Each structure stands twice: as structure tokens, then as C-alpha cells.
């Protein structure tokens, strides 16, 4: 599924502005299972970094511009 730039920006803003706690409770509300039987005592953890995907080309469509939309005939 290809998204236009406006929708991509809205999704990015949503995840930039939601706290981990809010996201956790939303996920549980949508039916994700909470695993509470994990033993984490005396284990070391690494910090997780951010990874970004950057496409080599812009494949978005401007839904406001009928010329840029492919239409079946």
C-alpha cells in the first residue's frame, strides 16, 4: 500500500507524540497479548536505536491532483 505524503506525515506525528505507556495500552485494547511470565532478573540489555527507511525514489501520489492518479479505463 502506497501512502501520500500527508498520510505519512500524520502517521509519523502520531507516533512522535504518543508515549510508550499510551501505545502499550492501545495495543492491549486491540487484542495484543501481554506476556507477563518473562524472567528478566540478572540479564543485560542493549539500548535500542532508531532505524529509518528512506526510499531512493518518491512513490507517493497527490490525491488532490487528478493528473497524477492512475485511472482504469
Amino acid at each position: 500500500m502506497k501512502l501520500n505524503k500527508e498520510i505519512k506525515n500524520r502517521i509519523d506525528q502520531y507516533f512522535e507524540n504518543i508515549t510508550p505507556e499510551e501505545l502499550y495500552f492501545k495495543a492491549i485494547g486491540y487484542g495484543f497479548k501481554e506476556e507477563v511470565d518473562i524472567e528478566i532478573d540478572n540479564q543485560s540489555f542493549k539500548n535500542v536505536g532508531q532505524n529509518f527507511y528512506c526510499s531512493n525514489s518518491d512513490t507517493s501520489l497527490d490525491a488532490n491532483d487528478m493528473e497524477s492518479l492512475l485511472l482504469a479505463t
Side-chain angles (χ1 to χ4, degrees):
M1 177 175 159
K2 294 182 181 180
L3 304 173
N4 66 31
K5 288 181 184 181
E6 178 186 351
I7 294 173
K8 287 180 186 178
N9 287 337
R10 289 177 62 190
I11 292 170
D12 289 342
Q13 287 176 1
Y14 177 82
F15 284 104
E16 286 174 5
N17 293 316
I18 192 168
T19 66
E21 291 82 10
E22 290 173 315
L23 187 57
Y24 171 80
F25 287 114
K26 284 189 182 286
I28 296 298
Y30 281 108
F32 284 84
K33 303 262 187 238
E34 180 181 21
E35 180 63 60
V36 294
D37 296 329
I38 299 173
E39 183 64 42
I40 60 171
D41 291 336
N42 299 320
Q43 294 186 26
S44 62
F45 296 92
K46 294 181 181 179
N47 290 338
V48 177
Q50 288 183 324
N51 292 325
F52 296 96
Y53 171 77
C54 296
S55 175
N56 290 337
S57 61
D58 181 8
T59 58
S60 62
L61 297 174
D62 182 0
N64 296 319
D65 181 11
M66 290 302 290
E67 304 258 336
S68 71
L69 298 177
L70 301 174
L71 302 175
T73 56

